[in-house]
Amino acid sequence: MPSAPDPVADIDGATFRRVVGHLASGVTVISCAVDGKPHGMTASSVTSLSADPPMMLACVNRSAPTSVAIRAAGGFVVNVLRAGQEHMAQQFARPSDDKFAGVATTYGALSMPVLREALAYLECEVREQVDAGTHTILLGRVVNASASDGEPLAYFRGGFGRLQPSPEAAAADSRATQKAVSARGVLEAGVIAVALAGVGDRELRTVAREFVRMDDLHSEDVLVDVDGFFSANVDFHRSIVELASNPVVTSALDRLDLGPLLARTQAGATRCSVELIEVQRDLLTALLDRDVDAAIEYVLAYAAMAVDRTRELSGANEH
């Protein structure tokens, strides 16, 4: 009598890879260092495990040199890649004697390489290692972490991409951004009216330096670094509010949470408005001249133009 088929027989590897490829994930580079030599590999099987204590889970192929290095190092860094860093994911996925060639790094709390241009990073001490199939599951206690504005690089069905917010979320972000930009303009105008006349040269040089940093991140109307540009824009206007030397006023600005809002509403924008750049240049000139009336006029004009630009981008994204 023939035996009944095994209801829990393994599926073949090709089927498994095809189906599991529908599970979208972020893309990270796992890095460590042994005797001063950096090691790194691309990994998508990474997730948070616990908030108390803060822990991460990462799965790495046991045959990979970086997996061996992590065992020796006793720790690892999860570097979360940002949208547009496909080249970095591919670089760390390929076998190479120097995967870090051309990659800007710093060394963190665990003396392990952190990718400077990553969207976020988490430094982890290995607490447990579990071998399963071809991989090792790393359980790491997070000892240090940091994140910046921007979008993550996504991986889906064997290809890289970026997350696309729902139309409802995008519309809500656009409205919130418009309100926040308007509120910031009013706040800046108040600071200028009250504080500009008594501000020292050093504080104004700080404002000028922040503008130059933003100005360097575009060429005509093309953005050289989208995330960097909008981050610099936030810092430039924050430096204006800081002229008040009042932590309550600065805290009010921070509560607007403009950085993440701009990162979402401006996502995918590779061009900037030359008119917006020029009105901010005029604003800086008025501040350096300590021309209160002109500075207020320019800062409110910029806020109105920025609201229109956000509305324009939102409309373009809906079509």
Side-chain angles (χ1 to χ4, degrees), residues 191 195 199 203 239-250:
V191 168
V199 168
E203 289 79 4
S239 70
I240 296 174
V241 173
E242 288 177 339
L243 294 176
S245 299
N246 187 324
V248 175
V249 175
T250 305

Side-chain angles (χ1 to χ4, degrees), residues 272-292:
C272 64
S273 165
V274 175
E275 291 78 10
L276 278 172
I277 296 294
E278 292 309 312
V279 76
Q280 291 176 96
R281 196 185 309 279
D282 292 337
L283 166 60
L284 175 62
T285 299
L287 290 171
L288 295 176
D289 291 342
R290 291 183 172 80
D291 187 335
V292 172

Side-chain angles (χ1 to χ4, degrees), residues 80-313:
V80 182
L81 298 188
R82 62 176 71 242
Q85 290 186 323
E86 294 90 342
H87 64 287
M88 196 170 292
Q90 292 164 349
Q91 179 168 327
F92 280 91
R94 293 190 294 263
S96 172
D97 292 333
D98 186 9
K99 292 188 177 184
F100 288 82
V103 178
T105 60
T106 187
Y107 282 77
L110 297 178
S111 298
M112 296 187 183
V114 174
L115 308 190
R116 288 193 180 190
E117 296 179 0
L119 176 65
Y121 68 87
L122 304 100
E123 299 180 71
C124 307
E125 293 178 336
V126 174
R127 290 302 172 88
E128 288 188 57
Q129 301 181 63
V130 180
D131 290 340
T134 58
H135 282 58
T136 294
I137 302 169
L138 302 170
L139 306 183
R141 172 71 181 265
V142 180
V143 299
N144 187 37
S146 181
S148 56
D149 294 333
E151 292 182 76
L153 179 64
Y155 187 74
F156 176 68
R157 295 180 64 182
F160 297 111
R162 64 195 306 159
L163 300 178
Q164 181 68 37
S166 68
E168 295 80 7
D173 280 343
S174 176
R175 290 191 296 270
T177 302
Q178 292 168 39
K179 291 179 181 178
V181 168
S182 295
R184 182 180 65 182
V186 172
L187 193 60
E188 288 177 290
V191 168
I192 292 168
V194 173
L196 181 58
V199 168
D201 291 342
R202 184 175 65 177
E203 289 79 4
L204 289 176
R205 283 196 296 269
T206 298
V207 177
R209 186 168 59 248
E210 295 296 347
F211 175 83
V212 169
R213 187 165 68 89
M214 176 183 69
D215 200 30
D216 285 344
L217 293 173
H218 75 96
S219 176
E220 298 293 337
D221 64 343
V222 177
L223 297 178
V224 177
D225 176 350
V226 176
D227 292 331
F229 177 85
F230 289 111
S231 176
N233 175 272
V234 169
D235 291 342
F236 169 58
H237 288 276
R238 192 176 198 278
S239 70
I240 296 174
V241 173
E242 288 177 339
L243 294 176
S245 299
N246 187 324
V248 175
V249 175
T250 305
S251 176
L253 173 68
D254 291 341
R255 286 198 296 274
L256 295 177
D257 209 21
L258 252 173
L261 282 172
L262 284 174
R264 292 195 294 270
T265 57
Q266 313 293 329
T270 58
R271 294 186 177 275
C272 64
S273 165
V274 175
E275 291 78 10
L276 278 172
I277 296 294
E278 292 309 312
V279 76
Q280 291 176 96
R281 196 185 309 279
D282 292 337
L283 166 60
L284 175 62
T285 299
L287 290 171
L288 295 176
D289 291 342
R290 291 183 172 80
D291 187 335
V292 172
D293 292 339
I296 290 175
E297 178 183 346
Y298 286 127
V299 81
L300 293 178
Y302 168 74
M305 292 168 66
V307 166
D308 288 343
R309 176 64 172 164
T310 300
R311 190 178 294 119
E312 175 189 326
L313 287 173

